[in-house]
């Protein structure tokens, strides 16, 4: 099955990055906002098609290696796409395409003015960066794309200032923390380069193997870990995230929450298992003794904080930090089942959180706010939006027939496989916290009367369709997870070096 | 001898850094930052990394200092002093510093010929780049061809920064329409009119700065230089003009629409060369297929992408400076 002509098929890997990269400057030249939107939306759909074709190619023929400029690695830069990053590429471009269709109405309502064409340029740049980070097989090239995605997301978040000036401080905090993270990453890469003389990830893996006792490697590892943890908002380095998600425009929050941290988790997986390798990290450094407690704390404390939030957007932001805890928990087992749980949760959480934040965007549009009081009686006034919210909430809790259940199931399996039944118990206990914070919203929305004299209509279709696309996906893949599990399972097996 | 100079430079850099930390006058901080950059540029020269030194001098010591001063003209130039001692940050910084010192234990000896970075990939760059790429300047071969995709990414970073600043400063302009903040008219020559010496010197210098920028742009294949440095130097000429003859006159020379177009055009030129090589049957950014002979193709490709880099960098720097300068508060 080929979607594209042979020329395109041969260069799929690079085209996926270059198409949005070229589209961004073109988009910046468009003055009319609806023109910019149609252009960017079309580009995001093309990207999705390319990403799906890449996944198809990787599933059928094995990993793709693409040499930039025709220079063989490690002399040139190489894109290397196996099942894991092909899957992440599909997640990122699918979310980008869905949110882009949603963006039009929400950007017009929340940003307005002459900033709107710029919004689409920055969105395309952010997409370019995230896809580039995911596709590249070169550690320094990753940094360059990380900078593109970070810079554009700082500005995207600050665009929320049209509605609430606090978006500016939120973006600034994120800028400071994100820059420290990126700097730490590049220091780490520099240290590794110093002792190996290479920047190619596969080559790094080979050349690092005999250097297990080297202190420079150890320090490099520490810097990369801390840098990435800042980027993925691993507790307690998550402080930038709640405000950034709260004050950013709805479309930006939905996009970033569903993609940016997921890509950071992917990079973490790549460095832990491909570059450094399980032998070094988990046998020699006993890394899981460090990651496991952090992940468990990350599951609980942010969930507890989420319960006490009155701003629902902030509540979901804290819930994201908790969900990142589950992802790190999965990989800390360093087993195929554990990594499968992490990989599948990347997808599951992306569709769930993306859908939830889009539903909140509809609430913001109709009620003018996203605090708990705004939700009163919305169950009857905006039935479809609130139904989407409830289904998404169920998925956060892990109710069967939602994708959240699949993730938790695999996490618990991984814990039991490892003989750690207390951890399995803690996973269940932390889900109860999710029940509490989701229930607070449900109670207000369905069991409280609507505010006196407040007439609210259901959200427009341009909001409902994208929201339900993602929420529908979280139901569909919760009932029939065959395909996602096959991809995630074989990606994990491949990553752990057992072929697949 | 080199060791003595190295030690002295490092010592100066330490002193500068410590002074920056202790200094509360932000104007002094910016100037010291420029000094720090210049010192590190000197350091890079000693390490035989003249291209990096050139960039550091042009970007770190030059244009970023001007941009920071532009920011200070909008804000306050004195730091707000808080009397609490930042214990936690100090501990963190000490920790990060000690990890760095710890890392030094495993490093190859300073300047050792058998260090991994001199062996693995570097051998091919040194031995074969002459035949494969055909440029005397190996650094340009690496940046523009072997790792040309990184450079495309970096130009995109500059582009993102340019768009980002336009958006952020545009946010203020929108509040201006609400009536809360007045949009200021473009600053004219002001009292610069009376500084004949400055005006004459600037007029004399600007053509040479531009000529030098073009030299750096097109001679980058043979000596230190390239699009990044050239773009910055070219922008410096415009900024100097704007400072002395007023932003209004400078904007008349390059209207905003033009810079906005050029910001995008540079990235498009660079990425377009890659697409051309795709269409001519090579991999992305494989310049060898662009002409009949591979090294000719490489030469052509590098010339074009460096020009793209220079265009975007110059246009972004000009935009950044003008965006700041046009909001400068009137000193009363």
């Amino acid at each position: 099955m080929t979607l594209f002509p042979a020329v395109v098929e041969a260069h799929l890997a690079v085209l996926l990055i270059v198409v949005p990269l070229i589209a961004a400057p073109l988009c910046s030249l468009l003055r009319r906002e609806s023109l910019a939107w149609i252009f960017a939306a079309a580009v995001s759909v093309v990207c999705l098609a390319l990403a799906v074709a890449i996944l198809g190619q990787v599933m059928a023929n094995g990993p793709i290696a693409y040499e930039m400029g025709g220079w063989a690695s490690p002399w040139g830069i190489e894109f290397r796409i196996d099942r894991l990053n092909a899957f992440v590429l599909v997640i990122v471009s699918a979310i980008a395409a869905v949110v882009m269709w949603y963006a039009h109405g929400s950007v017009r309502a929340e940003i307005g003015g002459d900033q709107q064409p710029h919004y689409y340029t920055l969105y395309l740049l952010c997409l370019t960066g995230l896809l580039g980070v995911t596709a590249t097989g070169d550690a320094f090239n990753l940094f360059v794309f990380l900078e593109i995605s970070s810079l554009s997301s700082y500005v995207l978040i600050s665009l929320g200032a049209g509605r609430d000036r606090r978006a500016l401080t939120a973006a600034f905090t994120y800028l400071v923390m994100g820059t420290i993270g990126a700097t730490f990453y590049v220091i780490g890469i520099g240290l590794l380069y110093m002792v190996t003389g290479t920047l190619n990830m596969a080559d790094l893996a080979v050349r690092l193997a005999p250097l297990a006792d080297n202190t420079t490697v150890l320090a490099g590892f520490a810097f990369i870990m801390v840098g990435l943890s800042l980027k993925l908002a691993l507790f307690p380095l998550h402080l930038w995230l709640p405000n950034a998600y709260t004050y950013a425009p709805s479309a930006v929050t939905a996009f970033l929450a569903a993609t940016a941290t997921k890509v950071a988790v992917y990079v973490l997986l790549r460095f832990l298992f491909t570059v450094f390798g399980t032998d070094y990290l988990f046998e020699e450094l006993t890394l899981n003794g460090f990651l496991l407690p952090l992940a468990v704390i990350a599951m609980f404390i942010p969930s507890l904080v989420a319960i006490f939030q009155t701003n629902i957007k902030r509540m979901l932001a804290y819930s994201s930090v908790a969900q990142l805890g589950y992802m790190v928990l999965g990989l800390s087992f360093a087993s195929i089942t554990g990594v499968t749980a992490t990989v599948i949760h990347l997808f599951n959480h992306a569709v769930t959180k993306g859908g939830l934040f889009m539903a909140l965007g509809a609430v913001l549009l109709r009620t003018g706010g996203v605090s708990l009081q705004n939700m009163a009686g919305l169950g009857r006034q905006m039935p479809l939006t609130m139904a989407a919210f409830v289904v998404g909430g169920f998925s956060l809790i892990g109710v069967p027939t939602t994708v959240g259940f699949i993730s938790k199931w695999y996490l618990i399996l991984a814990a039991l496989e490892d003989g750690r039944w207390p951890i399995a118990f803690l996973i269940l206990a932390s889900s109860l916290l999710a029940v509490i914070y989701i229930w607070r919203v449900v109670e207000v929305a369905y069991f409280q009367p609507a505010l006196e004299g407040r007439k609210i209509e259901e959200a427009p279709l341009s909001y409902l369709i994208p929201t339900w696309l993602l929420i529908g996906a979280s139901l569909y893949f919760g009932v029939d997870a065959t395909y996602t599990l096959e991809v995630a399972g074989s990606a994990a097996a491949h990553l752990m070096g057992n072929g697949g | 001898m080199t060791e003595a100079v190295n030690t002295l430079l490092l010592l100066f850099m330490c002193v500068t850094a410590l002074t920056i930390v202790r200094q509360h006058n932000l104007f002094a901080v910016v100037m010291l930052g420029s000094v720090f950059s210049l010192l590190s540029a000197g350091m890079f020269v000693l390490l035989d990394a003249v291209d990096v030194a050139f960039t550091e001098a042009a970007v770190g010591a030059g244009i970023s200092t001007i941009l920071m001063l532009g920011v200070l003209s909008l804000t306050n130039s004195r730091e707000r002093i808080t009397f609490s001692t930042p214990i936690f940050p100090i501990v963190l910084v000490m920790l990060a510093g000690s990890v760095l010192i710890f890392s030094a234990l495993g490093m190859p000896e300073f300047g050792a010929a058998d260090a991994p970075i001199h062996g693995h990939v570097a051998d091919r760059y040194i031995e074969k780049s002459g035949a494969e790429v055909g440029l005397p300047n190996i650094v340009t071969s690496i940046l523009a061809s072997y790792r040309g995709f990184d450079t495309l990414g970096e130009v995109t970073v500059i582009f993102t920064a340019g768009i980002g600043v336009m958006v952020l400063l545009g946010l203020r302009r929108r509040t201006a329409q609400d009536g809360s903040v007045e949009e200021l008219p473009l600053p004219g020559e002001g009292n610069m009119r009376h500084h004949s010496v400055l005006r004459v010197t600037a007029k004399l210098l600007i053509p040479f700065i531009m000529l030098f920028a073009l030299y750096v742009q097109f001679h980058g294949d043979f000596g230190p230089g390239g699009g990044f440095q050239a773009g910055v130097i070219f922008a410096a000429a415009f900024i100097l003009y704007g400072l002395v003859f007023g932003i209004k006159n400078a904007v008349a020379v390059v209207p905003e629409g033009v810079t906005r177009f050029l910001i995008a055009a540079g990235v498009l030129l660079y990425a377009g060369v890659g697409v051309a090589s795709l269409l001519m049957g090579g991999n992305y950014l494989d310049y060898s297929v662009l002409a009949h002979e591979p090294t000719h193709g490489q030469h052509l490709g590098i010339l074009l992408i460096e020009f793209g880099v220079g265009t975007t960098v110059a246009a972004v720097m000009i935009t950044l400076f003008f965006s700041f300068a046009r909001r400068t508060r009137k000193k009363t």
Side-chain angles (χ1 to χ4, degrees):
Chain A
M1 186 199 75
T2 46
L3 229 67
F4 297 102
V7 189
V8 176
E9 203 76 17
H11 300 286
L12 276 180
V14 69
L15 282 176
L16 178 61
I17 317 306
V18 168
V19 166
L21 193 153
I22 293 182
L26 285 177
C27 189
S28 78
L29 296 175
L30 299 174
R31 289 279 182 165
R32 291 260 313 281
E33 74 62 41
S34 48
L35 211 61
W37 169 66
I38 291 178
F39 178 69
V43 168
S44 65
V45 171
V46 170
C47 283
L48 176 58
L50 289 167
V52 169
I54 288 176
L55 182 63
Q57 216 178 67
V58 171
M59 291 300 280
N61 311 328
I64 301 175
Y66 188 90
E67 293 164 352
M68 290 299 158
W71 301 113
S73 65
W75 294 276
I77 291 166
E78 174 193 44
F79 269 19
R80 183 172 289 211
I81 304 177
D82 59 15
R83 291 186 173 193
L84 176 62
N85 41 357
F87 189 48
V88 178
L89 289 173
V90 171
I91 298 174
V92 171
S93 47
I95 297 286
V98 175
V99 174
M100 186 57 96
W101 291 98
Y102 172 88
H104 192 223
S106 111
V107 166
R108 190 177 274 176
E110 291 174 41
I111 298 174
D114 51 357
Q115 301 301 323
Q116 293 177 61
H118 288 313
Y119 169 87
Y120 298 106
T121 307
L122 289 162
Y123 189 101
L124 287 171
L125 285 168
C126 193
L127 178 62
T128 310
L130 293 173
L131 292 173
V133 167
T134 312
T136 191
D138 189 280
F140 186 78
N141 194 232
L142 192 152
F143 169 71
V144 174
F145 280 105
L146 192 69
E147 281 299 280
I148 297 177
S149 70
S150 308
L151 277 183
S152 47
S153 46
Y154 305 145
V155 185
L156 282 172
I157 289 167
S158 72
L159 283 176
R163 207 174 54 79
D164 191 332
R165 299 288 289 175
R166 279 175 289 184
L168 292 177
T169 34
F172 186 71
T173 315
Y174 183 24
L175 183 143
V176 172
M177 305 275 263
T179 306
I180 294 174
T183 310
F184 272 34
Y185 174 82
V186 88
I187 290 175
I189 295 300
L191 292 175
L192 296 187
Y193 179 68
M194 187 181 273
V195 288
T196 60
T198 187
L199 293 168
N200 182 284
M201 291 182 196
D203 199 29
L204 266 175
V206 175
R207 298 178 70 89
L208 278 176
L211 293 170
D213 305 325
N214 190 298
T215 57
T216 312
V217 174
L218 192 62
F221 172 70
F223 273 108
I224 291 174
M225 270 300 283
V226 175
L228 290 178
S229 304
L230 265 166
K231 280 282 172 192
L232 71 83
L234 177 62
F235 188 88
L237 301 175
H238 67 285
L239 294 170
W240 58 269
L241 187 144
N243 276 342
Y245 282 14
T246 309
Y247 298 118
S250 304
V252 174
T253 309
F255 179 58
L256 290 181
T259 57
T261 45
K262 309 297 167 292
V263 168
V265 172
Y266 156 76
V267 178
L268 186 66
L269 281 170
R270 185 57 82 204
F271 268 90
L272 289 184
F273 296 109
T274 303
V275 175
F276 288 100
T278 32
D279 293 346
Y280 175 60
L281 299 175
F282 292 92
E283 311 281 319
E284 212 153 314
L285 298 183
T286 55
L287 189 70
N288 55 345
F290 180 70
L291 280 181
L292 194 82
L294 265 186
V296 172
I297 298 172
M299 282 152 44
F300 277 92
I301 295 185
S303 296
L304 278 172
V305 177
I307 293 176
F308 294 100
Q309 299 305 315
T310 48
N311 183 322
I312 306 301
K313 229 172 159 187
R314 187 187 292 271
M315 179 196 95
L316 288 182
Y318 276 106
S319 143
S320 276
V321 181
Q323 300 286 328
L324 287 161
Y326 291 121
M327 291 176 206
V328 175
L329 179 72
L331 66 89
S332 74
F333 294 125
S335 66
I336 293 184
T337 324
V339 175
T340 306
T342 301
V343 175
I344 199 155
H345 199 46
L346 291 181
F347 173 81
N348 292 347
H349 183 244
V351 290
T352 307
K353 236 351 145 8
L356 278 169
F357 275 120
M358 287 204 274
L360 273 189
V363 173
L364 177 67
L365 176 78
R366 287 303 191 219
T367 69
V370 283
S371 62
L372 205 54
Q373 306 98 286
N374 288 80
M375 313 290 274
L378 280 190
R380 277 175 300 279
Q381 289 174 315
M382 301 175 74
L384 289 171
T385 307
M386 286 319 292
F389 190 93
V390 171
V391 174
F394 280 175
S395 182
L396 284 185
I397 297 165
V399 174
T401 76
T402 62
V403 283
F405 174 72
I406 310 279
S407 306
K408 296 254 164 81
W409 177 257
Y410 269 80
L411 267 179
I412 291 172
L413 271 187
L416 292 177
E417 200 179 74
D418 211 30
R420 295 173 190 271
W421 60 265
I423 302 287
F425 173 75
L426 288 174
I427 296 169
L428 289 174
S430 68
S431 302
L432 290 179
L433 296 177
V435 175
I436 301 176
Y437 61 71
I438 293 299
W439 179 252
R440 285 174 69 230
V441 179
V442 172
E443 191 188 347
V444 173
Y446 286 91
F447 298 103
Q448 275 189 16
L451 295 180
E452 283 290 317
R454 194 175 71 160
K455 280 188 80 77
I456 286 169
E457 289 172 38
E458 180 54 88
L461 279 182
S462 65
Y463 278 66
L464 284 175
I465 294 174
T467 308
W468 271 101
L469 261 177
L470 290 191
I471 294 296
S474 79
L475 281 175
Y476 178 82
F477 291 106
V479 176
D480 179 12
T482 328
Y483 188 70
T484 47
L485 271 178
E486 189 202 328
V487 177
S490 60
H494 186 85
L495 189 66
M496 306 290 293
N498 293 359
Chain B
M1 180 60 198
T2 340
E3 265 172 30
V5 181
N6 269 335
T7 320
L8 205 65
L9 274 178
L10 276 176
L11 210 67
F12 278 154
M13 285 169 80
C14 285
V15 172
T16 318
L18 286 174
T19 322
I20 289 177
V21 173
R22 298 199 57 81
Q23 183 61 248
H24 291 297
N25 185 333
L26 295 177
F27 179 78
V29 167
V30 171
M31 295 322 284
L32 284 168
S34 172
V35 169
F36 188 87
S37 279
L38 204 61
L39 288 170
S40 46
M43 195 83 197
F44 293 140
V45 172
L46 285 179
L47 293 169
D48 276 338
V50 273
D51 281 84
V52 187
F54 198 170
T55 318
E56 183 66 47
V59 177
I63 203 117
S64 58
T65 311
I66 298 176
L67 292 178
M68 292 297 273
L69 290 178
V71 175
L72 286 190
S73 71
L74 293 181
T75 57
N76 206 335
S77 64
R78 282 204 72 83
E79 188 184 355
R80 203 170 50 201
I81 299 169
T82 44
F83 288 97
S84 62
T85 325
I87 300 229
F88 185 61
I90 287 177
V91 171
L92 276 186
V93 169
M94 302 276 260
L95 194 70
S98 44
V99 174
L100 274 177
I101 292 170
F102 171 74
S103 79
L105 300 175
M107 287 180 191
E109 205 172 316
F110 180 68
D114 57 349
I117 47 163
H118 298 311
H120 188 44
V121 287
D123 283 346
R124 171 161 167 183
Y125 293 147
I126 294 169
E127 284 160 17
K128 295 205 182 138
S129 73
E132 288 176 339
V133 185
L135 297 184
N137 185 355
I138 300 174
V139 177
T140 304
S141 297
I142 296 172
L143 289 185
S145 190
Y146 289 106
R147 298 190 65 87
F149 197 65
D150 269 347
T151 310
L152 173 61
E154 275 147 25
V155 179
T156 315
V157 170
I158 306 271
F159 172 76
T160 313
I163 297 282
V165 170
M166 273 157 61
V167 169
L168 284 172
L169 293 178
L171 283 174
R172 283 267 308 266
R173 202 179 311 169
R174 207 171 75 252
T175 37
Q177 282 160 0
D178 307 339
S180 48
V181 184
E182 272 292 298
E183 166 116 45
L184 296 165
L186 288 177
E189 288 176 272
N191 51 8
M192 275 293 181
R193 189 181 296 275
H194 309 297
H195 289 276
S196 306
V197 176
L198 275 180
R199 291 166 67 93
V200 172
T201 322
K203 269 190 183 162
L204 277 176
L205 274 178
I206 287 169
F208 287 107
I209 297 177
M210 287 185 160
L211 196 63
F212 182 57
L214 291 175
Y215 168 78
V216 172
Q217 171 80 52
F218 294 107
H219 201 259
D221 307 359
F222 304 98
F228 276 101
Q229 297 96 323
V232 168
I233 295 170
F234 200 78
F238 272 90
I239 292 171
L240 177 62
Y241 183 80
L243 281 174
V244 177
F245 297 96
I247 306 299
K248 203 172 172 180
N249 289 329
V251 173
V253 179
V254 266
E256 260 182 299
V258 174
T259 42
R260 202 179 145 141
F261 171 76
L262 288 176
I263 290 175
V267 182
L268 287 173
L269 176 62
Y270 198 143
V273 171
V275 175
S277 51
L278 274 187
L279 293 175
M280 294 176 82
N283 269 3
Y284 193 75
L285 290 177
D286 183 353
Y287 314 129
S288 299
V289 296
L290 293 176
H292 290 295
E293 214 168 305
T295 44
H296 285 182
Q298 288 285 345
H299 210 107
L300 176 67
I302 290 173
L303 196 75
L304 287 173
I305 61 121
E306 288 280 9
F307 191 60
V309 173
T311 309
T312 292
V313 170
V316 167
M317 295 305 156
I318 292 173
T319 311
L320 289 184
F321 178 73
F322 286 172
S323 312
F324 283 118
R326 66 185 310 154
R327 341 201 123 258
T328 310
R329 287 175 304 185
K330 276 212 185 84
K331 294 266 158 40
T332 45

